[in-house]
Structure formats: structure tokens, C-alpha cells
Amino acid sequence: MIGPVILVVGARPNFMKIAPIYAELEKRKINQILLHTGQHYDDNMSKIFFDDLGMPQPDIYLGIGSGSHAYQTAKVMVEFEKVCQEHKPSMVVVVGDVNSTVACSMVCAKERIPCAHVEAGLRSFDRDMPEEINRLVTDAIADYLLTPSPDGDYNLRNEGVSENRIVRVGNVMIDSLFNNIDKSKTSLIHQDLNVTIGEYGVLTLHRPSNVDDKTAFIQIISALEKIGERITIVFPLHPRTKNRAEEFGLTERLEQIPNIVITGPAGYLDFISLMAGAKLILTDSGGLQEESTALGIPCLTLRENTERPVTVTEGTNTIVGNNTEVIINAAMDVLDTGGKSGRIPELWDGKTALRIADLIERIIE
Ligand code: UD1
């Protein structure tokens, strides 16, 4: 008998990448196990996404929780190894660049279990970013490298990866976005937050380089104090950011930004509804750069670089870093001119999960 395919999720940005793959494998009646490492565990960082994305409860929950990088990665490895030995999967699918991704791919490499990495080949070329290490290691050892865009193929080739491991499948997160955008119109988030569609910006912030560094955090807040004079800013607060603001004594200053609407982490449907109705997105997230491009909403990325350059060359994204003046000028430009309109990159067509499922079927047969 062919062993199950294990789909791994761990942290918030994984859920919308696995959901369409899970649904497609279900349709094809492929024996699969949905495994959640528990890297993210709060209901509003995890459970709500299963509900919103129509995924069942995970079959296996490892309950790893928070901790240092080494602790989190090692703990996932220890527990995931046991799962692999017990269930003898025919293959494992990991997505994105979080600690759970690299941990499970390392277990597969040693257990000799075929592993596919979805969202392979992305590079920021910035090793200060923990995710960059996770990307490099995962792509060095995973058997099938499923890329979202040509830059991914190019980066892998430059690293000497052989052609037969690289498969361009497109961007699976955009499948989730397109599958749910109509449903998100029932969201009451605009009413709940008392904001008017088309008249606000959305802000997300959680990168250690922005929020673990007090100077950088203050530079961004200073920019928001100016931008808030022009437009309402909706800010769903990530737990890391909330904790750091408290530690640095910045909570009050954040709350006093003009026209800021601070809220807890939003669920998937509420959040895509918020994005779709925004005039501007300010973010240091990876996924939002792609979702804003797919939605045609101008995005200012509060980082020095991006592993998703196609969102800049083809989409609506502009890299602005965390310098106060640069952020203010870029935001004012978007508010004055409407910003970049861009186009949707090739294979971000809502059909990536079909291509991934075709590949999985070929591999397990
Ligand atoms: C992780 C990912 C990052 C991704 C982000 C999305 C890595 C290296 N980083 O970063 O790539 O963009 O998720 O959110 O894997 N916490 C809670 N509740 C939770 C989860 C976390 O309160 O459910 C708090 C804890 O205090 C924890 C902190 O948030 O220490 C950071 O969580 P962690 O998983 O370490 O990293 P993220 O910053 O969320």
C-alpha cells in the first residue's frame, strides 16, 4: 500500500498555502495527513484560518509552541521524526519559509522520504532574516522544488540545483485568495472597525528587523504619525509586535497615531476583505506583497529587500525600507497619484494547486 502524503503547516502564513492543495488531494481521494506543528497556536493565529479556509482540524498536532529558533526547529524535528517512522509517508509537502518548514524537510532528508517544497527558490539574499536561512536549507535538501515565479528557477539554477528538481507551478497562495475573495464580501470587518471602503490603509508589522529593534520601530511609528494625518490606518497587531511595543514602552505612542485603528490579528476572510478595500498597504510581510499585487492594491514594503521581486517588477509593490522620510514620501505619492497598478504575474492564476496535485500523483505512483 502507498503511504499517506503528509501536508505540513506550522505558522499563520502556511495555512493559505496548504488549504488549496489539501482540497485538491481530497477531491482526488489521495490518502493524506494534515499535520500542524503548533508553531502558531493562538486561535486567532491558527484555528480561525482552518475555519475560514474550510480545512478540517489537523489529523496530527505536534503542539510545539514558541521558543528560540534552535529550540523550535529541534522540537519539530524530534516530534516529526516519530510521525514519519509511525506513518511511513510516501511523500511530505512543506510550504514557505518558517521554522517548521526547514525542520520537517530535514527530517525527510534523513528518513529518505521524498519531500516537495512549495514556494521554493525565493531569495532575499539577506541572511539577517531567519527565513532566508530556512529557504536555503530547505531548497538544498528537498527533492522537488516547486517555484512560484521565474526568479525562483533562476536562483536555484545559480545555486547549482539540477533542472529535474525544479518545477514552476505558480503561486498557490493566490489560489486561496481567488477561491475566497467572493466569500470575504460577507465579512463585517469594515462595519466592526468603522472604516469606509477605499478610504484607509492597512498596516502589518512583525519582522524582527522592524519590531525587535527599537530604533527601527520608532522610525516606522514616526512615519505613521504623518501618514495618519492623511488617511485612516488599520493595524491588526501581531503578538510579537504587541509584546515588543510593550517592552519598549511604545504602546501608548502607537495608540496615539492619528486615525489609527488597532485591532487583534484578523482572520483570513476579514483580512482579505480589508486588503481588497484598502487604498494602500504598508507591510513587512512576504505574503501581503503577493496578495496586494494580485488584488491590484499599491503596497509599500517596509524592508530593505524582498524575496519576491516579481511583485516589484510586475506588480504593485515598492520597497521602501524603514527610513521615516522615505516611507512618508512613498505613502504620500500613493495617496496623491493612486500608486502603481501593475499586473498579475504568470501562473498566479488560481490553478496552482491543480498543478501541484498532478505532480504529487506522479511522484507517489
Ligand atoms: C513566524 C515566521 C515568519 C512568519 C510569521 C507570521 C519563522 C522563523 N518565522 O514569525 O516567517 O512571517 O510567523 O506570523 O518561522 N506568539 C503568540 N501566539 C502564537 C504564536 C506566536 O503569542 O500563536 C508570540 C510568541 O510570543 C512568540 C512570538 O509571537 O514568541 C513570535 O512567534 P514565532 O513563531 O517565533 O515567530 P513569528 O514572529 O510569528
Side-chain angles (χ1 to χ4, degrees):
M1 215 189 70
I2 306 176
V5 176
I6 299 186
L7 303 185
V8 176
V9 292
R12 184 168 64 177
N14 295 157
F15 306 131
M16 54 295 274
K17 295 171 192 167
I18 284 291
I21 305 173
Y22 180 87
E24 189 56 34
L25 295 186
E26 253 334 75
K27 239 191 245 166
R28 300 182 190 200
K29 302 199 183 339
I30 291 174
N31 180 14
Q32 60 175 332
I33 291 178
L34 182 60
L35 179 140
H36 189 341
T37 66
Q39 176 175 345
H40 283 174
Y41 44 86
D42 286 349
D43 280 356
N44 60 12
M45 296 290 286
S46 175
K47 182 177 181 300
I48 189 165
F49 290 85
F50 283 77
D51 299 342
D52 281 0
L53 290 158
M55 272 198 295
Q57 288 304 300
D59 301 300
I60 300 178
Y61 185 74
L62 301 181
I64 300 304
S66 298
S68 73
H69 286 273
Y71 173 87
Q72 212 170 42
T73 308
K75 210 167 167 207
V76 172
M77 287 184 73
V78 170
E79 296 306 318
F80 189 63
E81 185 184 58
K82 293 181 201 160
V83 170
C84 289
Q85 287 168 354
E86 183 186 340
H87 292 275
K88 308 215 174 326
S90 55
M91 76 175 289
V92 170
V93 178
V94 298
V95 296
D97 55 17
V98 303
N99 289 339
S100 301
T101 311
V102 69
C104 294
S105 68
M106 282 198 282
V107 169
C108 289
K110 298 210 174 173
E111 292 288 311
R112 311 305 298 139
I113 299 163
C115 178
H117 179 211
V118 175
E119 207 185 88
L122 301 190
R123 298 289 180 268
S124 64
F125 303 101
D126 174 4
R127 292 193 186 192
D128 286 335
M129 209 182 165
E131 292 80 3
E132 182 73 355
I133 314 294
N134 294 343
R135 294 180 199 117
L136 283 162
V137 175
T138 304
D139 287 343
I141 55 181
D143 303 276
Y144 303 94
L145 302 177
L146 280 49
T147 61
S149 43
D151 54 289
D153 305 23
Y154 177 83
N155 293 333
L156 294 170
R157 283 186 199 120
N158 267 350
E159 288 168 17
V161 172
S162 65
E163 213 54 49
N164 60 354
R165 284 171 64 208
I166 306 171
V167 190
R168 173 123 45 92
V169 292
N171 190 329
V172 76
M173 199 178 57
I174 304 306
D175 288 23
S176 272
L177 181 66
F178 291 169
N179 290 343
N180 287 287
I181 193 79
D182 281 341
K183 202 165 145 204
S184 81
K185 293 187 179 128
T186 60
S187 158
L188 299 175
I189 191 78
H190 296 99
Q191 261 166 272
D192 291 350
L193 299 179
N194 196 19
V195 294
T196 311
I197 293 180
E199 293 181 14
Y200 61 88
V202 172
L203 165 71
T204 80
L205 210 57
H206 74 281
R207 290 265 158 251
S209 57
N210 283 331
V211 303
D212 290 3
D213 176 334
K214 188 172 178 185
T215 311
F217 203 168
I218 290 176
Q219 281 172 207
I220 293 172
I221 295 176
S222 304
L224 297 170
E225 286 166 345
K226 263 276 173 284
I227 299 167
E229 288 172 6
R230 277 282 300 272
I231 191 166
T232 299
I233 303 168
V234 178
F235 186 18
L237 206 53
H238 185 283
R240 171 192 286 280
T241 312
K242 183 168 188 275
N243 294 342
R244 291 299 177 269
E246 279 161 17
E247 270 169 49
F248 294 148
L250 290 171
T251 305
E252 207 173 314
R253 191 161 162 200
L254 263 184
E255 287 166 357
Q256 283 170 358
I257 292 170
N259 297 307
I260 195 145
V261 180
I262 297 180
T263 171
Y268 186 67
L269 294 174
D270 283 345
F271 194 74
I272 62 178
S273 168
L274 268 181
M275 277 195 293
K279 204 173 180 122
L280 160 71
I281 292 173
L282 295 145
T283 191
D284 60 10
S285 144
L288 262 70
Q289 297 173 49
E290 298 180 339
E291 288 163 334
S292 54
T293 277
L295 291 168
I297 312 277
C299 175
L300 302 180
T301 294
L302 308 173
R303 286 171 39 189
E304 299 304 326
N305 48 53
T306 181
E307 63 287 343
R308 300 159 208 270
V310 70
T311 60
V312 176
T313 53
E314 295 184 31
T316 58
N317 192 16
T318 308
I319 304 296
V320 296
N322 58 22
N323 175 281
T324 308
E325 287 309 309
V326 177
I327 301 171
I328 295 172
N329 290 339
M332 295 307 158
D333 182 62
V334 172
L335 297 179
D336 291 338
T337 68
K340 279 168 91 169
S341 46
R343 63 184 160 95
I344 300 181
E346 199 193 343
L347 295 184
W348 294 23
D349 57 359
K351 299 194 174 97
T352 295
L354 298 178
R355 292 185 284 270
I356 294 175
D358 287 347
L359 183 76
I360 291 173
E361 277 191 315
R362 281 207 302 278
I363 295 168
I364 61 177
E365 275 162 16

